[in-house]
Amino acid sequence: MMNSSAATLLADARYFSSNTLELFVRDSDGNYLTAQDNIIIDMARKVVERSVSKGMKLDSPSRVREFLWLKLAGYEHEVFGAIFLDTQHRVIEYSELFHGTLDSASVYPREVVKRALQLNAGAVIFTHNHPCGEPAPSDADRRITDRLKDALSLIEVRVLDHIVVGGSDSVSFAEQGYI
């Protein structure tokens, strides 16, 4: 049964002559309205959260990228987050740690270390978005990743990757040889 107190996405989708897919929501009165992008993105994030849940082993780079893209899509400001993992690389938690401005976010290694200790993490995958749509890592991105690696190595937490999401693309520090 659909929740009548809030607009919810329907499984119903219709094709129009322009071959675009349009989704509808049903409001509390039972009226069907065209779903706005932010509602679709919010619902997609909820679906993705179910697909990468606590205890799941992250063994597919494509699954990690899809998860991170959907988590960070639509933000108009930088968001720096982390997937905290146990020693077997199973998900403990995804956390959005820092929110910034259009082109930067302040990241504090001390706070990341505190969170890793609280969660008893054995490894971590960092991520952040570039709202401009260009996923190429900046020099500042590389420097903060190095600082985080150094800080976390003191408490024996491995940094497995740092994935920068921009537009519909992403760049992996591990694949680029930065980690």
Side-chain angles (χ1 to χ4, degrees):
M1 184 90 197
M2 302 208 75
N3 181 350
S4 62
S5 65
T8 53
L9 281 178
L10 296 174
D12 181 21
R14 298 190 182 134
Y15 285 96
F16 291 92
S17 60
S18 63
N19 289 331
T20 60
L21 184 65
E22 193 168 84
L23 295 174
F24 296 88
V25 294
R26 185 168 51 190
D27 67 14
S28 59
D29 296 328
N31 300 315
Y32 292 95
L33 308 168
T34 302
Q36 296 176 345
D37 291 348
N38 62 331
I39 292 173
I40 294 169
I41 290 170
D42 287 344
M43 294 304 288
R45 283 187 178 124
K46 289 177 183 173
V47 169
V48 169
E49 285 173 9
R50 287 194 307 258
S51 73
V52 177
S53 58
K54 185 175 182 172
M56 178 178 286
K57 189 166 185 165
L58 290 180
D59 53 6
S60 164
S62 62
R63 174 180 270 169
V64 174
R65 285 174 187 250
E66 179 180 285
F67 172 74
L68 294 174
W69 182 81
L70 284 171
K71 291 299 283 183
L72 298 171
Y75 282 121
E76 295 178 355
H77 59 279
E78 278 203 15
V79 175
F80 186 94
I83 303 173
F84 293 98
L85 308 165
D86 66 15
T87 57
Q88 300 299 310
H89 300 168
R90 292 178 299 226
V91 174
I92 298 171
E93 176 181 284
Y94 168 79
S95 296
E96 288 182 1
L97 299 168
F98 308 101
H99 291 253
T101 63
L102 181 62
D103 62 355
S104 68
S106 296
V107 176
Y108 301 97
R110 172 186 172 94
E111 297 303 315
V112 176
V113 169
K114 280 174 43 179
R115 191 69 187 137
L117 286 169
Q118 288 170 342
L119 295 171
N120 199 28
V124 66
I125 298 171
F126 292 117
T127 187
H128 78 279
N129 65 319
H130 283 174
C132 68
E134 176 54 50
S138 67
D139 289 337
D141 295 339
R142 290 190 203 123
R143 284 192 304 273
I144 194 59
T145 303
D146 288 340
R147 287 183 61 207
L148 290 166
K149 278 177 45 182
D150 292 345
L152 289 167
S153 71
L154 296 172
I155 60 167
E156 299 177 354
V157 174
R158 290 187 53 214
V159 175
L160 301 179
D161 205 348
H162 183 160
I163 298 173
V164 181
V165 175
S168 61
D169 202 5
S170 62
V171 172
S172 160
F173 277 47
E175 289 175 355
Q176 298 295 314
Y178 300 143
I179 292 181

